[in-house]
């Protein structure tokens, strides 16, 4: 679903500010053993013939290592589908890159877990789309996938690797988020990340049936804030930049201060970091602002990564709050939120317009 993006000249704002990526998501393959109905990557059981070779992947690692000290998250599809996964991870570890991986967990046994640890991966995030097999397996498209994922989680925990549960919230599981929180707590994970569905990949096909309304998002995120004050592990709302507005509103109501953890995998910064603090590398070497915004900033088979990061017009636009339009452009929370550019793009074809799933009305008039 590669698309190009013609940039209107009045939106091109080149800034002298220096940006360094905090997190890089690298889709090593689209190959996967599951058939998740919301998959960003439209994953499939056969690996694409044009995914990066091992040699090309090593070159990507070299270039990532020159960008400072970002966290590199190896993902897919299912990253373990690549036979050279551990070669790539080990090479990145030798280059001093902080590593994590996102997996469905079903392929992790004791032998695989040991290899994950030996390759230097510090945290394994495993997707759980419900607190029970009946909910999770239906969404994942494979009977037994819940039990296999839970087994994979416990296996990596047993050898001292940090674990994280990822849950995409849709109508199919929104009534079970409390139990999802309990599942995370019961299994002693280091983190629970709730992802708000973004209409991309297979997710486009389930929008009408499964997408929450803006009001439902607000309710879930408000609940999430309250729970964040009660649990002992890290919880985060992902692809929900307006959560950072809700955090501040709720904290102000309660007379509380927001504690900022600015380091490591639990860092708290702002809402949408696409193109300014994070970016995505596809299995073909194409660089995008995030995995959910199908616009290309460049191609690693044609340009150096540092050139793309520093000079991409697409990234420069996303880094300029002056380019935001509609209510996002005048919102007093623009510096901590900025709205989801991928959802705006899906709804309107304009990535810089309003976040369509935010109920907040700015104090200033934008008409």
């Amino acid at each position: 679903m590669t698309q190009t993006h013609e940039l209107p000249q009045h939106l091109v704002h080149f800034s002298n500010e220096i940006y360094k990526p905090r997190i890089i998501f690298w889709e090593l393959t689209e190959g996967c053993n599951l058939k998740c109905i919301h998959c960003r990557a439209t994953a499939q059981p056969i690996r694409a013939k044009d995914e990066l070779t091992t040699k090309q992947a090593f070159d990507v690692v070299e270039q990532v290592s020159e960008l400072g000290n970002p966290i590199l998250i190896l993902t897919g599809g299912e990253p373990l589908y690549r036979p050279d996964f551990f070669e790539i991870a080990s090479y990145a570890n030798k280059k001093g890159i902080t590593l994590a991986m996102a997996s469905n967990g079903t392929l992790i046994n004791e032998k695989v877990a040991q290899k994950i640890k030996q390759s230097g991966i510090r945290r394994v995030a495993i997707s759980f789309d419900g607190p029970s097999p009946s909910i999770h397996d239906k969404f994942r498209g494979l009977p037994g996938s819940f039990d296999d994922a839970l087994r994979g989680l416990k296996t990596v925990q047993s050898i001292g690797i940090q674990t994280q549960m990822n849950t995409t919230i849709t109508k199919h599981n929104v009534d079970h988020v409390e139990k999802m929180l309990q599942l995370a707590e019961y299994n002693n994970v280091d983190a629970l990340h709730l992802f708000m569905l973004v209409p991309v990949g297979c997710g486009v096909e389930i929008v009408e049936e499964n997408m929450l309304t803006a009001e439902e998002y607000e309710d879930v995120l408000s609940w999430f804030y309250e729970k964040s004050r009660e649990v002992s592990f890290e919880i985060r709302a992902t692809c929900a930049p307006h959560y950072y507005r809700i955090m501040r509103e709720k904290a102000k109501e309660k007379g509380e201060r927001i504690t900022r953890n600015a380091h490591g995998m639990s860092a708290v910064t702002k809402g949408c970091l696409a193109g300014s603090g994070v970016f995505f590398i596809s299995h073909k070497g194409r660089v995008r602002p995030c995995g959910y915004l199908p616009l290309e900033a460049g191609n690693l088979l044609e340009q150096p990564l540092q050139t793309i990061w520093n000079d991409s017009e697409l990234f420069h636009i996303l880094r300029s709050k002056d380019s935001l339009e509609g209510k996002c452009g005048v919102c007093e929370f623009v510096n901590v939120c900025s709205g989801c550019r991928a959802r705006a793009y899906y709804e309107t074809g304009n990535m810089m317009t309003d976040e369509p799933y935010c109920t907040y009305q700015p104090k200033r008039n934008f008409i």
Side-chain angles (χ1 to χ4, degrees):
M1 53 189 301
T2 301
Q3 300 181 41
T4 57
H5 186 56
E6 294 298 325
L7 306 176
Q9 286 302 306
H10 74 285
L11 287 182
V12 180
H13 300 283
F14 287 86
S15 169
N16 292 323
E17 186 174 351
I18 297 174
Y19 288 86
K20 290 187 177 181
R22 289 185 52 252
I23 301 175
I24 300 170
F25 297 90
W26 187 6
E27 172 196 72
L28 290 176
T29 181
E30 279 191 325
C32 186
N33 59 318
L34 301 185
K35 301 175 182 178
C36 309
I37 65 173
H38 65 308
C39 183
R40 168 202 56 74
T42 58
Q44 51 197 322
I46 301 174
R47 292 167 53 213
K49 292 181 179 179
D50 56 351
E51 68 183 26
L52 297 177
T53 65
T54 304
K55 184 175 182 298
Q56 289 170 329
F58 281 4
D59 184 56
V60 171
V61 169
E62 292 277 359
Q63 295 187 61
V64 167
S65 70
E66 297 169 359
L67 286 179
N69 187 30
I71 296 169
L72 180 62
I73 300 178
L74 306 175
T75 182
E78 170 52 54
L80 292 172
Y81 237 55
R82 278 195 70 131
D84 59 357
F85 172 76
F86 295 111
E87 291 179 62
I88 296 169
S90 296
Y91 191 72
N93 182 50
K94 288 176 184 176
K95 290 293 177 180
I97 298 171
T98 301
L99 289 173
M101 67 177 287
S103 170
N104 63 45
T106 63
L107 302 179
I108 300 176
N109 54 30
E110 291 182 8
K111 183 178 179 181
V112 169
Q114 286 293 343
K115 286 186 175 182
I116 289 172
K117 187 171 185 176
Q118 290 165 7
S119 65
I121 291 169
R122 300 189 191 180
R123 177 179 288 188
V124 176
I126 295 179
S127 298
F128 286 86
D129 288 309
S132 66
S134 61
I135 300 170
H136 175 91
D137 291 2
K138 181 179 179 181
F139 212 62
R140 290 272 148 182
L142 180 69
S145 57
F146 178 86
D147 292 335
D148 288 344
L150 201 56
R151 190 177 304 112
L153 181 107
K154 291 180 179 297
T155 302
V156 293
Q157 280 182 334
S158 69
I159 57 173
I161 301 174
Q162 288 186 25
T163 54
Q164 173 180 315
M165 284 185 174
N166 290 345
T167 301
T168 299
I169 302 299
T170 69
K171 287 186 181 294
H172 99 284
N173 63 8
V174 68
D175 294 331
H176 305 280
V177 288
E178 183 77 45
K179 289 184 178 179
M180 195 64 232
L181 191 71
Q182 293 169 3
L183 180 71
E185 190 166 25
Y186 179 78
N187 285 283
N188 298 311
V189 298
D190 295 280
L192 170 65
H193 287 199
L194 292 189
F195 287 73
M196 296 307 185
L197 181 66
V198 180
V200 69
C202 295
V204 172
E205 300 172 13
I206 65 169
V207 169
E208 191 171 329
E209 181 182 351
N210 276 285
M211 197 82 169
L212 299 184
T213 64
E215 291 74 21
E216 288 171 323
Y217 270 127
E218 192 83 4
D219 290 342
V220 170
L221 295 175
S222 295
W223 167 85
F224 200 59
Y225 173 76
E226 297 298 335
K227 292 300 177 181
S228 72
R229 302 161 68 244
E230 299 174 6
V231 299
S232 59
F233 52 92
E234 168 203 334
I235 64 175
R236 179 181 297 176
T238 303
C239 298
H242 33 309
Y243 177 64
Y244 289 81
R245 181 256 306 166
I246 290 171
M247 284 173 63
R248 283 154 180 79
E249 289 179 316
K250 296 290 184 182
K252 185 176 180 180
E253 286 174 12
K254 299 174 186 296
E256 297 174 346
R257 236 178 121 184
I258 294 176
T259 302
R260 292 174 62 88
N261 182 350
H263 305 284
M265 294 185 189
S266 59
V268 174
T269 51
K270 59 170 282 188
C272 185
L273 291 169
S276 62
V278 307
F279 66 86
F280 171 87
I281 303 172
S282 81
H283 64 289
K284 298 179 181 181
R286 292 168 179 165
V287 178
R288 299 172 184 166
C290 77
Y292 301 102
L293 184 55
L295 302 173
E296 283 188 25
N299 189 327
L300 291 178
L301 299 181
E302 300 171 1
Q303 300 167 280
L305 181 55
Q306 201 148 34
T307 299
I308 296 172
W309 175 254
N310 291 330
D311 300 338
S312 163
E313 291 186 357
L314 179 61
F315 284 172
H316 278 286
I317 287 178
L318 289 164
R319 292 167 188 172
S320 171
K321 64 182 181 181
D322 294 333
S323 297
L324 287 168
E325 302 172 15
K327 70 177 185 179
C328 284
V330 298
C331 184
E332 57 270 33
F333 291 100
V334 65
N335 289 324
V336 298
C337 174
S338 297
C340 176
R341 300 300 98 218
R343 279 194 287 267
Y345 182 79
Y346 168 77
E347 292 283 342
T348 68
N350 177 3
M351 68 178 183
M352 301 309 290
T353 194
D354 299 357
E355 153 69 68
Y357 292 90
C358 176
T359 63
Y360 184 74
Q361 293 300 318
K363 300 288 189 292
R364 291 182 289 165
N365 194 344
F366 62 92
I367 296 176

